[in-house]
Amino acid sequence: MAIQIETSTERLMVKLISSFNQILLVHCFLQMLFADFFRTETEADYFYQEGDDDERTLMDRADPLASLLPALAVLTLGSVVVVTNAGRFLSIAGRIQLKSAKSTTA
């Protein structure tokens, strides 16, 4: 007999993150496959041009996007809250619908 260690919320979070990961992997794979069909680059795009050598560090280049990290965290937590409370919301909505159906038939 197996011992169940994780809770249903943890299992739900793992399934949610795994599903998102699978969608992202499929998107990247299809983008890689179809990249050759929609090639818009020419050989002239590969020649060195003035200003191509951006020697700033990665953190300096990512600094303008640093404000998006809290938004990503809020979006992730919000989606987890919505998914975990969806069952409660649906059961409450079902009860309300049943009450309204009983009141119209009576």
Side-chain angles (χ1 to χ4, degrees), residues 17 25 38-39 41 45 64 76-77 94 104:
I17 292 170
L25 286 173
F38 304 110
R39 185 178 301 258
E41 303 162 342
D45 293 336
T76 303
L77 288 174
T104 57

Side-chain angles (χ1 to χ4, degrees), residues 57-69:
T57 63
L58 177 64
M59 292 306 292
D60 289 339
R61 288 182 278 156
D63 196 32
L65 301 174
S67 61
L68 293 177
L69 290 175

Side-chain angles (χ1 to χ4, degrees), residues 29-80:
F29 178 71
L30 290 175
Q31 189 175 12
M32 181 188 70
L33 280 179
F34 294 125
D36 289 333
F37 294 127
F38 304 110
R39 185 178 301 258
T40 59
E41 303 162 342
T42 62
E43 299 242 350
D45 293 336
Y46 295 111
F47 290 128
Y48 175 78
Q49 296 176 0
E50 190 69 31
D52 279 349
D53 56 340
D54 191 7
E55 294 183 5
R56 296 182 300 162
T57 63
L58 177 64
M59 292 306 292
D60 289 339
R61 288 182 278 156
D63 196 32
L65 301 174
S67 61
L68 293 177
L69 290 175
L72 286 173
V74 167
L75 183 66
T76 303
L77 288 174
S79 63
V80 168

Side-chain angles (χ1 to χ4, degrees), residues 7-37:
T7 63
S8 62
T9 306
E10 290 171 340
R11 265 187 265 120
L12 184 64
M13 286 176 53
V14 168
K15 286 180 183 179
L16 181 70
I17 292 170
S18 298
S19 299
F20 178 74
N21 189 28
Q22 288 295 318
I23 291 169
L24 182 65
L25 286 173
V26 168
H27 170 74
C28 292
F29 178 71
L30 290 175
Q31 189 175 12
M32 181 188 70
L33 280 179
F34 294 125
D36 289 333
F37 294 127

